[in-house]
Amino acid sequence: MPVSNKVHVQKDEVNAQRVMDRIEQLATFSSMEGMVTRAYLTDEHKAAHHQLGAWMEEAGLQTWQDEVGNQWGRLLSSNPTEGTVIIGSHSDTVVNAGKYDGTLGVIMAIEALSNLKLNNIELPFHVDVVAFADEEGTRFNTTLLGSCGVAGTWNPDWLDIKDASGISIGQAMKAFGLDINAIPEASRAGDKTKAYLEVHIEQGPVLESCGLPVGVVTGIAGAKRFIVDVSGMAGHAGTVPLELRNDALCAAAEMITTIEAYAKAQGIVATVGKCDIKGGAVNVIPGKVQFSIDIRSQNQELLENSCTQLLMRLQSIAQKRQVTAEAEKIYEASAVTCDSKLQSLWSSVTEDVTRKPVHLLPSGAGHDAMMMATIAPMSMLFLRCEKGISHNPLEDVLTEDVAVGLTCLEKMITAL
Ligand code: GLV
Ligand code: MN
Ligand code: MN
């Protein structure tokens, strides 16, 4: 970890250590021994929310679970004359995840509210902390379900989406103890929300390279995701000459390298994170292949055009190789800009705490903040993470950076 440019914040060091200890503890709520994997509406997810609820109560917050499974805690104001402030991040993870993605923001928010309560800070608004239940889309391939519930953009058709074992979201919700008829009650869209704040690890190397513990986010990249089904002809690996094959995997391979080259040329990012040979065997020419595409850009117009162009290129590869390729869009989120007043406020708070000029940076990763921006002024603070590694068990942060982040968050809440 970087040791230069340390910023010590005495007051919050003990609290930061408790945050780190709790992150370790929450990492044990996992479906995989020795790894962190916690998907939406699973038993380990329920247990993790139970633990988060217990910490919220210990902090003196009023707690509840909403109708899509998000866990909430409220620091009550005795005279709430202004809209509620919501601070959140997510409690679900990718497969074999790091410990900090999402979890850090939730546990830091609980700690900050606990500190405000201990110090009898009176605010003219309630402050809610929320652990969003599904940001990653690990189980159902559809993401931001928790914050969609809160933003009032939940689509009832999603109840029929099935996981890999054929269990639908609706069935999983019932098993989790949720009432699917009450889902609209999770919405806070009609409420007065003064601000939505999210603290998150950067998941990239910029802050580390600047020697800074925290940075203020300017906006979040838009994203689109597709599942592509390539169908050729399965056949005998020993008897069909190469030039007479319709090998679905070779076609998919050409498509995947084309996606990479095209994204590089356009200055966007594109990733194929999943690729399956259906019924693959060592002596069978692949007949069916399915792969995913995740494409992102801060520039929404460039993202739209790139997707159109790229899908056309995949079709010409399919034609050339005499296979078919069908692309289904499974997710899209538009690029969003963080609220400018909140960015300025975070900037003065971080400059005050770190005694260094603020670093403003965009987020390439998606966050619940994208959805919350549809119902409230939204802003985010990033914390430096080691070598920018994320979505990986090697994800790491410094306790002293958590201390800085906590002080910034507490100052931000009281400055709102
Ligand atoms: C969420 O982690 C994302 O894929 O950006
Ligand atoms: Mn993530
Ligand atoms: Mn995240």
Side-chain angles (χ1 to χ4, degrees):
M1 291 298 294
V3 286
S4 59
N5 301 303
K6 280 189 180 179
V7 180
H8 283 285
V9 179
Q10 215 84 53
K11 182 172 78 74
D12 275 331
E13 270 169 11
V14 175
N15 310 38
Q17 189 53 55
R18 184 170 37 231
V19 168
M20 296 299 265
D21 294 344
R22 286 181 170 179
I23 285 170
E24 290 298 324
Q25 206 177 324
L26 211 70
T28 62
F29 295 97
S30 170
S31 63
M32 295 162 117
E33 186 77 29
M35 296 182 196
V36 186
T37 302
R38 195 166 52 244
Y40 185 38
L41 302 174
T42 55
D43 290 345
E44 54 279 4
H45 195 211
K46 193 174 190 146
H49 276 198
H50 195 260
Q51 179 61 76
L52 287 169
W55 288 331
M56 289 172 181
E57 276 170 23
E58 204 179 298
L61 311 183
Q62 195 182 65
T63 62
W64 71 98
Q65 175 184 266
D66 73 16
E67 294 73 11
V68 296
N70 301 314
Q71 175 64 44
W72 293 81
R74 170 168 290 180
L75 178 65
L76 273 173
S77 161
S78 57
N79 184 23
T81 52
E82 297 175 31
T84 302
V85 170
I86 302 178
I87 311 175
S89 200
H90 58 100
S91 58
D92 66 318
T93 74
V94 294
V95 176
N96 196 16
K99 295 178 220 153
Y100 301 91
D101 178 2
T103 306
L104 176 81
V106 176
I107 296 182
M108 276 180 64
I110 297 172
E111 193 62 38
L113 296 192
S114 165
N115 217 13
L116 295 179
K117 173 103 184 164
L118 272 175
N119 289 298
N120 295 315
I121 308 284
E122 247 312 317
L123 297 163
F125 44 79
H126 300 313
V127 188
D128 289 354
V129 50
V130 54
F132 288 115
D134 174 89
E135 187 266 3
E136 302 284 8
T138 303
R139 181 169 176 191
F140 296 103
N141 261 333
T142 176
T143 179
L144 300 178
L145 292 176
S147 40
C148 282
V150 176
T153 54
W154 180 282
N155 179 343
D157 293 348
W158 292 341
L159 291 171
D160 297 325
I161 297 175
K162 292 191 169 68
D163 69 7
S165 355
I167 298 169
S168 70
I169 293 185
Q171 288 167 327
M173 287 180 106
K174 281 185 204 157
F176 201 77
L178 299 168
D179 174 5
I180 57 169
N181 297 313
I183 289 173
E185 289 169 30
S187 172
R188 301 277 292 260
D191 299 0
K192 249 179 78 192
T193 302
K194 186 178 171 70
Y196 172 77
L197 310 180
E198 180 161 352
V199 179
H200 202 284
I201 54 164
E202 181 201 337
Q203 305 183 276
V206 175
L207 292 173
E208 191 178 67
S209 71
C210 301
L212 287 170
V214 290
V216 176
V217 181
T218 52
I220 307 174
K224 288 184 196 282
R225 292 181 183 162
F226 299 87
I227 294 289
V228 183
D229 281 293
V230 183
S231 300
M233 179 61 78
H236 197 292
T239 59
V240 187
L242 289 173
E243 57 278 12
L244 297 182
R245 296 182 181 191
N246 309 109
D247 185 323
L249 183 63
C250 289
E254 188 177 340
M255 292 175 190
I256 292 167
T257 50
T258 300
I259 291 167
E260 184 195 35
Y262 182 80
K264 262 191 198 155
Q266 296 299 312
I268 61 173
V269 288
T271 306
V272 174
K274 278 185 172 177
C275 184
D276 290 319
I277 304 173
K278 303 286 174 195
V282 68
N283 56 354
V284 178
I285 300 163
K288 283 192 187 303
V289 170
Q290 187 179 73
F291 65 89
S292 61
I293 318 177
D294 175 307
I295 311 183
R296 307 188 195 205
S297 172
Q298 309 287 333
N299 178 334
Q300 189 63 29
E301 198 184 329
L302 179 60
L303 178 65
E304 302 288 346
N305 292 339
S306 300
C307 287
T308 312
Q309 289 297 321
L310 206 43
L311 293 179
M312 278 164 51
R313 286 180 187 216
L314 300 194
Q315 282 311 327
S316 39
I317 295 169
Q319 233 170 25
K320 182 183 73 182
R321 289 184 166 268
Q322 296 189 331
V323 298
T324 61
E326 279 177 32
E328 185 196 353
K329 184 163 66 192
I330 54 163
Y331 169 76
E332 65 183 321
S334 298
V336 291
T337 307
C338 296
D339 181 80
S340 56
K341 282 197 195 127
L342 293 174
Q343 278 188 61
S344 305
L345 207 50
W346 272 124
S347 300
S348 18
V349 163
T350 57
E351 288 187 342
D352 184 33
V353 175
T354 64
R355 305 265 165 230
K356 290 178 184 211
V358 64
H359 189 82
L360 300 167
L361 71 172
S363 172
H367 299 287
D368 293 295
M370 302 171 91
M371 202 40 67
M372 293 303 285
T374 63
I375 61 162
M378 170 284 283
S379 73
M380 293 188 72
L381 182 75
F382 272 172
L383 234 83
R384 164 170 61 185
C385 67
E386 186 175 12
K387 297 192 184 95
I389 298 172
S390 185
H391 283 185
N392 184 319
L394 294 175
E395 212 172 70
D396 206 1
V397 301
L398 291 168
T399 310
E400 64 210 45
D401 289 358
V402 174
V404 172
L406 269 178
T407 309
C408 291
L409 179 58
E410 287 160 28
K411 280 183 185 272
M412 180 69 178
I413 298 167
T414 51
L416 282 169

PDB file of all heavy atoms in Angstrom, residues 389-404:
ATOM      1  N   ILE A 389      -7.220  -2.159  -7.691  1.00  0.00           N
ATOM      2  CA  ILE A 389      -7.799  -3.496  -7.917  1.00  0.00           C
ATOM      3  C   ILE A 389      -9.174  -3.599  -7.273  1.00  0.00           C
ATOM      4  O   ILE A 389      -9.353  -3.272  -6.102  1.00  0.00           O
ATOM      5  CB  ILE A 389      -6.862  -4.594  -7.334  1.00  0.00           C
ATOM      6  CG1 ILE A 389      -5.517  -4.562  -8.051  1.00  0.00           C
ATOM      7  CG2 ILE A 389      -7.510  -5.972  -7.442  1.00  0.00           C
ATOM      8  CD1 ILE A 389      -4.466  -5.457  -7.421  1.00  0.00           C
ATOM      9  N   SER A 390     -10.148  -4.092  -8.062  1.00  0.00           N
ATOM     10  CA  SER A 390     -11.495  -4.313  -7.521  1.00  0.00           C
ATOM     11  C   SER A 390     -12.150  -5.471  -8.266  1.00  0.00           C
ATOM     12  O   SER A 390     -11.612  -5.945  -9.259  1.00  0.00           O
ATOM     13  CB  SER A 390     -12.327  -3.048  -7.658  1.00  0.00           C
ATOM     14  OG  SER A 390     -13.572  -3.222  -7.036  1.00  0.00           O
ATOM     15  N   HIS A 391     -13.290  -5.931  -7.759  1.00  0.00           N
ATOM     16  CA  HIS A 391     -13.937  -7.149  -8.264  1.00  0.00           C
ATOM     17  C   HIS A 391     -12.910  -8.279  -8.233  1.00  0.00           C
ATOM     18  O   HIS A 391     -12.781  -9.061  -9.184  1.00  0.00           O
ATOM     19  CB  HIS A 391     -14.506  -6.942  -9.677  1.00  0.00           C
ATOM     20  CG  HIS A 391     -15.795  -6.166  -9.669  1.00  0.00           C
ATOM     21  ND1 HIS A 391     -16.550  -5.928 -10.778  1.00  0.00           N
ATOM     22  CD2 HIS A 391     -16.486  -5.601  -8.642  1.00  0.00           C
ATOM     23  CE1 HIS A 391     -17.637  -5.244 -10.454  1.00  0.00           C
ATOM     24  NE2 HIS A 391     -17.606  -5.019  -9.155  1.00  0.00           N
ATOM     25  N   ASN A 392     -12.217  -8.372  -7.137  1.00  0.00           N
ATOM     26  CA  ASN A 392     -11.084  -9.290  -6.995  1.00  0.00           C
ATOM     27  C   ASN A 392     -10.813  -9.402  -5.487  1.00  0.00           C
ATOM     28  O   ASN A 392     -10.859  -8.385  -4.787  1.00  0.00           O
ATOM     29  CB  ASN A 392      -9.881  -8.632  -7.718  1.00  0.00           C
ATOM     30  CG  ASN A 392      -8.639  -9.498  -7.745  1.00  0.00           C
ATOM     31  OD1 ASN A 392      -8.301 -10.149  -6.759  1.00  0.00           O
ATOM     32  ND2 ASN A 392      -7.962  -9.480  -8.862  1.00  0.00           N
ATOM     33  N   PRO A 393     -10.508 -10.602  -4.986  1.00  0.00           N
ATOM     34  CA  PRO A 393     -10.252 -10.727  -3.542  1.00  0.00           C
ATOM     35  C   PRO A 393      -9.069  -9.882  -3.070  1.00  0.00           C
ATOM     36  O   PRO A 393      -8.920  -9.651  -1.859  1.00  0.00           O
ATOM     37  CB  PRO A 393      -9.970 -12.217  -3.341  1.00  0.00           C
ATOM     38  CG  PRO A 393     -10.179 -12.879  -4.636  1.00  0.00           C
ATOM     39  CD  PRO A 393     -10.481 -11.875  -5.698  1.00  0.00           C
ATOM     40  N   LEU A 394      -8.232  -9.403  -3.991  1.00  0.00           N
ATOM     41  CA  LEU A 394      -7.067  -8.596  -3.595  1.00  0.00           C
ATOM     42  C   LEU A 394      -7.432  -7.141  -3.273  1.00  0.00           C
ATOM     43  O   LEU A 394      -6.570  -6.358  -2.862  1.00  0.00           O
ATOM     44  CB  LEU A 394      -6.012  -8.594  -4.707  1.00  0.00           C
ATOM     45  CG  LEU A 394      -5.356  -9.948  -4.999  1.00  0.00           C
ATOM     46  CD1 LEU A 394      -4.418  -9.834  -6.191  1.00  0.00           C
ATOM     47  CD2 LEU A 394      -4.596 -10.446  -3.768  1.00  0.00           C
ATOM     48  N   GLU A 395      -8.716  -6.789  -3.458  1.00  0.00           N
ATOM     49  CA  GLU A 395      -9.180  -5.431  -3.137  1.00  0.00           C
ATOM     50  C   GLU A 395      -8.719  -5.045  -1.720  1.00  0.00           C
ATOM     51  O   GLU A 395      -8.860  -5.837  -0.797  1.00  0.00           O
ATOM     52  CB  GLU A 395     -10.705  -5.486  -3.146  1.00  0.00           C
ATOM     53  CG  GLU A 395     -11.434  -4.278  -3.574  1.00  0.00           C
ATOM     54  CD  GLU A 395     -12.927  -4.618  -3.688  1.00  0.00           C
ATOM     55  OE1 GLU A 395     -13.567  -4.828  -2.643  1.00  0.00           O
ATOM     56  OE2 GLU A 395     -13.439  -4.687  -4.814  1.00  0.00           O
ATOM     57  N   ASP A 396      -8.176  -3.810  -1.566  1.00  0.00           N
ATOM     58  CA  ASP A 396      -7.709  -3.411  -0.233  1.00  0.00           C
ATOM     59  C   ASP A 396      -7.773  -1.890  -0.067  1.00  0.00           C
ATOM     60  O   ASP A 396      -7.641  -1.162  -1.052  1.00  0.00           O
ATOM     61  CB  ASP A 396      -6.254  -3.881  -0.027  1.00  0.00           C
ATOM     62  CG  ASP A 396      -5.920  -4.074   1.447  1.00  0.00           C
ATOM     63  OD1 ASP A 396      -6.814  -3.865   2.298  1.00  0.00           O
ATOM     64  OD2 ASP A 396      -4.767  -4.425   1.755  1.00  0.00           O
ATOM     65  N   VAL A 397      -7.994  -1.452   1.161  1.00  0.00           N
ATOM     66  CA  VAL A 397      -7.921  -0.015   1.468  1.00  0.00           C
ATOM     67  C   VAL A 397      -7.128   0.180   2.760  1.00  0.00           C
ATOM     68  O   VAL A 397      -7.005  -0.753   3.559  1.00  0.00           O
ATOM     69  CB  VAL A 397      -9.320   0.644   1.632  1.00  0.00           C
ATOM     70  CG1 VAL A 397     -10.168   0.496   0.393  1.00  0.00           C
ATOM     71  CG2 VAL A 397     -10.051   0.117   2.835  1.00  0.00           C
ATOM     72  N   LEU A 398      -6.623   1.396   2.971  1.00  0.00           N
ATOM     73  CA  LEU A 398      -5.876   1.706   4.191  1.00  0.00           C
ATOM     74  C   LEU A 398      -6.824   2.178   5.285  1.00  0.00           C
ATOM     75  O   LEU A 398      -7.731   2.983   5.015  1.00  0.00           O
ATOM     76  CB  LEU A 398      -4.884   2.843   3.924  1.00  0.00           C
ATOM     77  CG  LEU A 398      -3.685   2.554   3.028  1.00  0.00           C
ATOM     78  CD1 LEU A 398      -2.994   3.857   2.658  1.00  0.00           C
ATOM     79  CD2 LEU A 398      -2.723   1.619   3.747  1.00  0.00           C
ATOM     80  N   THR A 399      -6.590   1.717   6.508  1.00  0.00           N
ATOM     81  CA  THR A 399      -7.421   2.157   7.636  1.00  0.00           C
ATOM     82  C   THR A 399      -7.343   3.677   7.768  1.00  0.00           C
ATOM     83  O   THR A 399      -8.335   4.339   8.064  1.00  0.00           O
ATOM     84  CB  THR A 399      -6.928   1.483   8.940  1.00  0.00           C
ATOM     85  OG1 THR A 399      -6.814   0.092   8.684  1.00  0.00           O
ATOM     86  CG2 THR A 399      -7.884   1.715  10.091  1.00  0.00           C
ATOM     87  N   GLU A 400      -6.144   4.237   7.538  1.00  0.00           N
ATOM     88  CA  GLU A 400      -6.011   5.699   7.693  1.00  0.00           C
ATOM     89  C   GLU A 400      -6.828   6.453   6.630  1.00  0.00           C
ATOM     90  O   GLU A 400      -7.292   7.573   6.884  1.00  0.00           O
ATOM     91  CB  GLU A 400      -4.543   6.109   7.648  1.00  0.00           C
ATOM     92  CG  GLU A 400      -3.879   5.841   6.339  1.00  0.00           C
ATOM     93  CD  GLU A 400      -2.387   5.556   6.488  1.00  0.00           C
ATOM     94  OE1 GLU A 400      -2.007   4.787   7.385  1.00  0.00           O
ATOM     95  OE2 GLU A 400      -1.633   6.109   5.682  1.00  0.00           O
ATOM     96  N   ASP A 401      -7.028   5.848   5.472  1.00  0.00           N
ATOM     97  CA  ASP A 401      -7.887   6.492   4.463  1.00  0.00           C
ATOM     98  C   ASP A 401      -9.348   6.430   4.892  1.00  0.00           C
ATOM     99  O   ASP A 401     -10.125   7.361   4.627  1.00  0.00           O
ATOM    100  CB  ASP A 401      -7.732   5.804   3.099  1.00  0.00           C
ATOM    101  CG  ASP A 401      -6.379   6.096   2.453  1.00  0.00           C
ATOM    102  OD1 ASP A 401      -5.587   6.859   3.054  1.00  0.00           O
ATOM    103  OD2 ASP A 401      -6.113   5.572   1.365  1.00  0.00           O
ATOM    104  N   VAL A 402      -9.709   5.329   5.556  1.00  0.00           N
ATOM    105  CA  VAL A 402     -11.084   5.212   6.061  1.00  0.00           C
ATOM    106  C   VAL A 402     -11.316   6.306   7.112  1.00  0.00           C
ATOM    107  O   VAL A 402     -12.381   6.927   7.153  1.00  0.00           O
ATOM    108  CB  VAL A 402     -11.356   3.799   6.629  1.00  0.00           C
ATOM    109  CG1 VAL A 402     -12.723   3.720   7.275  1.00  0.00           C
ATOM    110  CG2 VAL A 402     -11.231   2.750   5.521  1.00  0.00           C
ATOM    111  N   ALA A 403     -10.278   6.561   7.931  1.00  0.00           N
ATOM    112  CA  ALA A 403     -10.403   7.624   8.945  1.00  0.00           C
ATOM    113  C   ALA A 403     -10.633   8.983   8.273  1.00  0.00           C
ATOM    114  O   ALA A 403     -11.505   9.762   8.679  1.00  0.00           O
ATOM    115  CB  ALA A 403      -9.146   7.671   9.819  1.00  0.00           C
ATOM    116  N   VAL A 404      -9.889   9.242   7.197  1.00  0.00           N
ATOM    117  CA  VAL A 404     -10.064  10.502   6.466  1.00  0.00           C
ATOM    118  C   VAL A 404     -11.477  10.557   5.873  1.00  0.00           C
ATOM    119  O   VAL A 404     -12.184  11.567   5.999  1.00  0.00           O
ATOM    120  CB  VAL A 404      -9.011  10.622   5.320  1.00  0.00           C
ATOM    121  CG1 VAL A 404      -9.297  11.827   4.442  1.00  0.00           C
ATOM    122  CG2 VAL A 404      -7.608  10.706   5.899  1.00  0.00           C
TER     123      VAL A 404
END
